[in-house]
Amino acid sequence: MKVVAVLYPDSDPKAHPDVLASAERALDLGPFLADRGHELVATSDTGDELDTHLRDTEVLITTPFWPVYLDRDRFDRAPSLKLVITAGVGSDHVDPEAAVEHGVTVTEVTGSNVVSVAEHNVLQILALVRNFVPAHEQVADGRWDVADAAQDAHDLEGKTVGLIGLGAIGARTALRLKPFDVTMLYSARHRRSPAEEAVLGVRFARLDDLVARSDVVCAALPLQQGSRSLFDRERLAAMKPGSWLVNTARGAIVDTDALVEAVESGHLAGYAGDTWYPQPAPADHPWRHLPRNAMTIHYSGMTIEAQQRIADGVREILATHLEGAPPPEDYVVGAPES
């Protein structure tokens, strides 16, 4: 069996001994597969080289942090493909209908990095509200202008935070924000029970109401048919003047150009997140130079602890496949009918 892992590059693996999820380490799957007589190809190429390998690949491992965009044409070029494993959470880079049509099961390591992303949400909310990035940049610039840094710095306490999505990541974000004494609203497809809302410290609100009332809006929902460009010009304009938007969900949830206009005009006080579209973000992506931003590259779910959980989950999925058994049900995103 041939397994291809497409993961982000590491230019200096010796300097990063704890990084498992790079193409150079490939989640340390090499010995596991070699001992069982199988071939592992690890690469960062998402173009022609990958297409050559896909001709006889049975298992493809991809990742949201360096995604392979698997559309119908890509599946057509992979006649032996039976299993796609997302090393992480979020498989929106895989066309689900095309996967089913080609008899390919799509899996991901459910829950592997939800703690990491929830912590990153809190980090970026605080970075925006406290105006951390401009104050930090003064250090390297040799400046000491307290008035300039303090002008846009605020307390988080007493603010209203709106969470869009209250799944595994959204719920953990709420738990971590609760001690800050904020009012938390949430919008989700399925409303939580009163007991769950009390534990998390949240109150249900319709999306438009949440957007209009929140000082901070945090997107914690998957990229699906209804969430693509969810924050278009109209919805961004409906946000509270001077509010902040945080998006560690998926870059395509926010309209790229509309966001630039909203921040540059001052309607939004700032934007943060680590997800972009496409990924990796090109050097000229307009969000790289957005004023009052606290963007990072997509690494929120790549803590060392998360990478270990991802590696363990990928190995578990592979082990069941090698045994001819279906993957654990909680890992399955989509599967052809048996």
Side-chain angles (χ1 to χ4, degrees):
M1 183 180 74
K2 183 175 180 178
V3 178
V4 173
V6 183
L7 302 164
Y8 54 80
D10 184 350
S11 59
D12 191 0
K14 290 183 178 179
H16 312 132
D18 297 323
V19 172
L20 297 178
S22 66
E24 285 67 27
R25 286 286 292 275
L27 302 166
D28 287 349
L29 295 172
F32 171 79
L33 289 167
D35 289 347
R36 291 157 178 78
H38 302 293
E39 177 188 4
L40 173 67
V41 175
T43 180
S44 293
D45 185 86
T46 59
D48 293 341
E49 178 187 330
L50 172 62
D51 288 332
T52 299
H53 285 300
L54 285 179
R55 295 170 190 166
D56 59 349
T57 294
E58 183 169 326
V59 178
L60 174 66
I61 300 169
T62 179
T63 178
F65 308 96
W66 190 270
V68 173
Y69 293 101
L70 280 169
D71 55 14
R72 185 167 276 100
D73 180 60
R74 225 44 182 295
F75 279 111
D76 287 341
R77 285 179 267 168
S80 301
L81 192 62
K82 295 180 180 177
L83 175 66
V84 172
I85 304 174
T86 294
V89 178
S91 299
D92 49 88
H93 52 284
V94 181
D95 184 327
E97 294 180 0
V100 170
E101 291 172 10
H102 288 76
V104 177
T105 298
V106 180
T107 61
E108 60 184 41
V109 189
T110 308
S112 56
N113 54 27
V114 294
V115 169
S116 314
V117 178
E119 290 183 357
H120 203 81
N121 280 338
V122 177
L123 165 71
Q124 294 201 304
I125 288 171
L126 287 169
L128 285 179
V129 174
R130 297 304 302 265
N131 201 37
F132 174 82
V133 174
H136 175 68
E137 288 175 343
Q138 285 199 30
V139 177
D141 294 342
R143 299 172 61 209
W144 194 280
D145 190 339
V146 176
D148 192 52
Q151 168 62 33
D152 295 311
H154 298 268
D155 292 337
L156 182 58
E157 182 179 0
K159 301 292 190 294
T160 297
V161 178
L163 299 170
I164 303 179
L166 203 68
I169 292 172
R172 284 167 174 79
T173 303
L175 283 173
R176 284 155 178 77
L177 287 172
K178 192 175 179 181
F180 284 91
D181 292 328
V182 293
T183 297
M184 279 189 288
L185 307 175
Y186 79 97
S187 173
R189 184 173 298 177
H190 302 291
R191 185 168 182 170
R192 295 278 187 146
S193 70
E196 290 174 316
E197 290 182 350
V199 169
L200 297 173
V202 298
R203 295 202 305 267
F204 181 80
R206 304 294 181 194
L207 177 59
D208 290 340
D209 186 39
L210 178 151
V211 167
R213 293 169 56 190
S214 297
D215 299 294
V216 181
V217 174
C218 179
L221 73 167
L223 180 63
Q224 297 172 332
Q225 190 70 26
S227 61
R228 188 174 295 275
S229 293
L230 180 68
F231 281 86
D232 54 12
R233 280 182 175 81
E234 183 178 354
R235 181 152 281 121
L236 289 168
M239 288 181 66
K240 194 174 180 179
S243 59
W244 299 272
L245 178 60
V246 173
N247 173 24
T248 57
R250 285 294 181 266
I253 287 172
V254 179
D255 181 290
T256 299
D257 295 330
L259 176 71
V260 173
E261 294 171 10
V263 176
E264 287 186 343
S265 71
H267 178 67
L268 291 188
Y271 180 75
D274 71 336
T275 53
W276 309 66
Y277 185 79
Q279 290 191 168
D284 62 350
H285 196 293
W287 291 357
R288 289 182 181 269
H289 308 289
L290 194 65
R292 302 182 305 283
N293 86 78
M295 291 296 294
T296 56
I297 63 170
H298 193 184
Y299 87 115
S300 65
M302 273 284 109
T303 62
I304 298 306
E305 293 80 5
Q307 290 184 61
Q308 186 60 63
R309 291 189 292 267
I310 290 168
D312 293 342
V314 170
R315 186 174 302 217
E316 182 182 2
I317 296 168
L318 275 175
T320 58
H321 184 73
L322 295 179
E323 295 167 0
E329 193 172 315
D330 56 314
Y331 287 161
V332 176
V333 176
E337 295 183 6
S338 56

